[in-house]
Amino acid sequence: MAHAHADACLMADPLRLLADRLAPAFAAVAGVSADPVVRASDRADAQANGALALAKTLGRNPREVAEAVVATADLADLVATTEIAGPGFINVTFRDDALASLLAGVAAGPRLGARPAPAAETVVVDYSAPNVAKEMHVGHLRSTVIGDALVRMLEFVGHRVVRENHLGDWGTPFGMLIEHLLDLGETEASRELSVGDLDGFYKQASAKFRNDPAFADRARARVVLLQGGDPETLRLWRELVDESTRYFDQVYELLDVLLTDDDLAGESRYDPLLPEVLRRLEAAGLLAHSEGADVVWVPGFENREGEPLPLIVRKAGGGFNYATSDLACVMDRVERIGATLLLYVVGAPQAQHFQMVFSVAEMAGWLRPPARAVHVAFGSILGTDRKMLRSRSGAVLKLVDLLEEAIARADAAVRDKNPELPEERRRDVARAVGSRPVQYADLSPDQVRDYVFDWDRMLAFDGNTGPYLQYAHARIRSIFRRGELDPASVRGVRPVLGVPQERALGLALLGFDGAVADALDTFQPHRLSTYLFDLATRFTEFYEACPVLRADSDEQRASRLALCDLTARVLASGLGLLGIRAPDEM
Ligand code: ARG
């Protein structure tokens, strides 16, 4: 047992441990290293499928290869039985005592078994990034929520994380926005902006820009003043930025995300670096000129007509753009911050922009291994009519309204479920339940697909929802309350996996390690949601089959309580990584 226990300090996932034991055996049989391809299985605890591919390369019979691997591997302390099935699949059942030891290690160890990052890196996470004086839309909500979960998970496994809220706070629209602010008068303008009427403000400004030539001239002159650093213009610009950030902060507060004003790193911050971007591209011989603009030709990109597509870095009129600013960002993040991983949590429609920016940064030598950039893309949020999510009046949905409605609905749902809960408590729970399901609804479906936002599903207490998981956690905590027991008193107990439901729950608990790793490898927090739902389901099955407070013996009772406690801790910790609070009572 010493062997399995030593591994457990590093990681808890028996599938990973099995893969690590099988890998040398595959290598010995093959003469080269080969992936054992270990997965969870319904036939046994785990299945290793690697023999099939290996046999093909070796030109041998896959079942024979599988048998040779099993004969060679050092499995005795971890594995109870192996069986070769079908075309060389290795079905594995773990030893109960090995699982129990791993569980004891998880209960006592840090991070509930989740393995630390193999190498701690500096990671910049670019997320949320709404635009000043424009409504923050549900896409920004999704970015905020996914980014927040990634930040929490990356920190959890030991990375140094730098959060950057790349606010759209610079560029030509600010000419018209400032002129509109002056037309309205500063007091009236700031009133409109502070109540979050950002969309109306922006629309009025752009309508005037289109229809009123004198206004358009003023707006253009204002852009020149802004770029020239005119103090009065900068003061007005600041006012727009500050009023908008005040509004964004209200949304962040309701969401309980980690973002603060210290994380603001808007486009304006990179403005001073833009001439340097051009200078370096020129020096590297990458800058070309096309139709009056400065561009970089990026191999492999074409427009709809199939013609080569360049990345424009200075428009024909001389202005820099979104791409220039993102190139400056890459430079800054790698060179000043020292990041080796750059994550951009931005909607899927911007995929081409990021591919081109990253390619240019690589061509220019700013992004060199180990430094790399990843666009963490996500799909749109749709209403139940499968169209863009809108408010009832058909207007653009304001996020504060959405969140406040969610909290109100959650309050009613909690009152329904537990009328005894004191008012104060209920409000707190409603907040945890209400703003968070928006989050959970966001984190549970496949990230790159569009998803349908449905109030009823979101607040349901059953199914793969945030409230279901929060409720599962609170229910476990109530077992300890009813038994007047301190959960800490069972934390040293080594569980006994007697009946199948105990064993299944134990295996599920050990999966936390792999689930966190998987969510981080793919940058898809929803994979952790799926795991937590599975864990809660295993717990329900266990709880239906196994009396806890009225177990047969003191020993059995302590063992079951230990499983309960560990489940509650994994649920709370997993939800916490998704940015969702888990109240003790609901
Ligand atoms: N403000 C942009 C938008 O609303 C998103 C910015 C994302 N981050 C970046 N570095 N480009 O679409």
Side-chain angles (χ1 to χ4, degrees):
M1 278 323 302
H3 199 156
H5 201 80
D7 293 347
C9 301
L10 294 171
M11 62 179 105
D13 186 358
L15 299 177
R16 259 289 285 265
L17 293 171
L18 177 63
D20 287 356
R21 300 292 184 85
L22 287 175
F26 269 83
V29 170
V32 288
S33 74
D35 183 359
V37 197
V38 173
R39 293 206 187 82
S41 151
D42 324 322
R43 308 237 153 177
D45 293 333
Q47 189 173 72
N49 294 347
L52 195 52
L54 182 58
K56 266 200 198 114
T57 353
L58 298 177
R60 281 174 58 183
N61 175 322
R63 289 182 72 100
E64 274 170 33
V65 171
E67 272 158 24
V69 166
V70 170
T72 314
D74 167 22
L75 300 173
D77 60 340
L78 182 66
V79 170
T81 63
T82 57
E83 178 215 3
I84 313 292
F89 297 155
I90 306 170
N91 288 335
V92 172
T93 308
F94 296 115
R95 286 173 60 145
D96 291 352
D97 61 350
L99 296 179
S101 293
L102 288 170
L103 284 166
V106 166
R111 291 182 308 274
L112 298 168
R115 70 196 79 142
E121 292 186 75
T122 296
V123 186
V124 169
V125 185
D126 178 320
Y127 67 115
S128 195
N131 301 312
V132 164
K134 255 192 177 173
E135 184 54 46
M136 188 181 185
H137 54 69
V138 281
H140 297 123
L141 172 75
R142 217 170 171 197
S143 168
T144 309
V145 156
I146 294 170
D148 186 68
L150 289 174
V151 168
R152 291 173 197 264
M153 289 195 242
L154 289 162
E155 282 178 345
F156 185 66
V157 301
H159 293 296
R160 170 179 171 247
V161 182
V162 178
R163 305 184 291 256
E164 292 212 344
N165 190 353
H166 192 75
L167 219 56
D169 64 354
W170 201 244
T172 42
F174 283 88
M176 72 178 193
L177 291 169
I178 291 172
E179 287 304 319
H180 181 54
L181 176 135
L182 288 171
D183 285 359
L184 281 178
E186 290 181 44
T187 326
E188 171 57 18
S190 78
R191 197 196 58 79
E192 277 188 23
L193 292 171
S194 64
V195 295
D197 193 8
L198 303 185
D199 217 52
F201 189 91
Y202 197 95
K203 280 211 181 100
Q204 284 165 33
S206 58
K208 281 200 279 183
F209 188 81
R210 272 190 318 258
N211 304 323
D212 177 350
F215 180 86
D217 285 343
R218 268 160 55 205
R220 275 188 281 268
R222 191 56 81 176
V223 176
V224 177
L225 285 172
L226 182 66
Q227 280 165 349
D230 171 58
E232 174 61 5
T233 303
L234 282 176
R235 185 186 69 78
L236 295 166
W237 168 79
R238 248 293 118 221
E239 197 166 313
L240 283 172
V241 174
D242 288 349
E243 287 300 348
S244 300
T245 15
R246 242 195 292 284
Y247 170 68
F248 301 147
D249 283 345
Q250 285 174 34
V251 174
Y252 297 150
E253 157 106 41
L254 283 176
L255 283 172
D256 255 334
V257 289
L258 298 167
L259 280 175
T260 71
D261 286 350
D262 292 339
D263 304 318
L264 289 173
E267 290 174 34
S268 62
R269 178 194 281 197
Y270 300 96
D271 186 60
L273 292 176
L274 303 185
E276 172 73 1
V277 170
L278 273 274
R279 203 190 56 70
R280 288 210 205 173
L281 290 174
E282 175 94 80
L286 291 170
L287 209 58
H289 309 283
S290 171
E291 296 169 30
D294 291 337
V295 306
V296 179
W297 293 101
V298 197
F301 290 89
E302 292 178 348
N303 65 14
R304 289 212 185 100
E305 282 73 48
E307 296 152 359
L309 183 71
L311 184 71
I312 300 175
V313 290
R314 187 175 3 213
K315 292 179 276 188
F320 298 116
N321 62 9
Y322 189 51
T324 334
S325 149
D326 263 328
L327 285 170
C329 253
V330 173
M331 241 165 62
D332 186 62
R333 290 171 184 177
V334 175
E335 294 173 12
R336 183 181 59 86
I337 299 180
T340 46
L341 180 58
L342 280 55
L343 301 182
Y344 294 77
V345 189
V346 187
Q350 294 191 33
Q352 191 183 59
H353 164 77
F354 285 112
Q355 281 163 14
M356 294 184 85
V357 165
F358 299 162
S359 297
V360 171
E362 280 162 15
M363 285 155 66
W366 307 334
L367 196 57
R368 248 178 294 169
R372 66 229 184 264
V374 179
H375 174 206
V376 179
F378 53 84
S380 308
I381 308 185
L382 308 175
T384 35
D385 56 0
R386 301 214 122 255
K387 298 213 183 92
M388 284 284 279
L389 194 61
R390 304 212 154 244
S391 73
R392 281 205 201 99
S393 65
V396 174
L397 193 69
K398 278 170 57 178
L399 283 187
V400 238
D401 294 347
L402 177 94
L403 293 173
E404 272 164 6
E405 177 162 356
I407 293 168
R409 285 183 188 234
D411 197 83
V414 175
R415 192 198 301 255
D416 227 39
K417 193 151 183 90
N418 186 358
E420 257 97 84
L421 206 63
E423 158 113 30
E424 190 88 337
R425 257 267 154 68
R426 193 188 71 230
R427 284 194 191 289
D428 184 56
V429 171
R431 254 192 85 144
V433 170
S435 65
R436 289 350 175 76
V438 177
Q439 202 141 340
Y440 190 84
D442 237 316
L443 292 170
S444 50
D446 187 346
Q447 197 159 297
V448 284
R449 288 199 352 230
D450 294 346
Y451 88 89
V452 171
F453 181 89
D454 177 349
W455 282 112
D456 295 330
R457 200 186 88 85
M458 200 184 79
L459 289 170
F461 280 92
D462 51 273
N464 187 0
T465 66
Y468 172 73
L469 296 177
Q470 288 169 312
Y471 188 67
H473 170 266
R475 197 172 53 164
I476 299 174
R477 287 290 165 233
S478 81
I479 299 171
F480 286 86
R481 274 197 301 277
R482 269 187 284 128
E484 293 177 4
L485 290 158
D486 177 3
S489 67
V490 295
R491 279 193 192 149
V493 174
R494 189 183 137 109
V496 180
L497 305 176
V499 298
Q501 290 86 351
E502 287 173 318
R503 201 173 178 284
L505 177 61
L507 267 175
L509 286 165
L510 294 173
F512 183 59
D513 173 24
V516 174
D518 185 36
L520 274 177
D521 283 346
T522 56
F523 305 114
Q524 304 226 8
H526 81 86
R527 294 187 179 221
L528 183 59
S529 317
T530 308
Y531 161 76
L532 293 175
F533 177 61
D534 183 62
L535 173 64
T537 310
R538 293 288 94 74
F539 180 80
T540 305
E541 287 159 5
F542 155 83
Y543 198 55
E544 272 162 15
C546 306
V548 176
L549 292 176
R550 272 173 288 143
D552 292 339
S553 65
D554 283 353
E555 194 208 353
Q556 192 183 59
R557 181 176 128 129
S559 160
R560 288 181 178 171
L561 282 167
L563 286 173
C564 287
D565 175 58
L566 197 51
T567 307
R569 287 166 69 202
V570 171
L571 284 173
S573 167
L575 284 168
L577 291 176
L578 299 172
I580 301 173
R581 257 194 305 143
D584 278 349
E585 198 182 349
M586 281 176 67

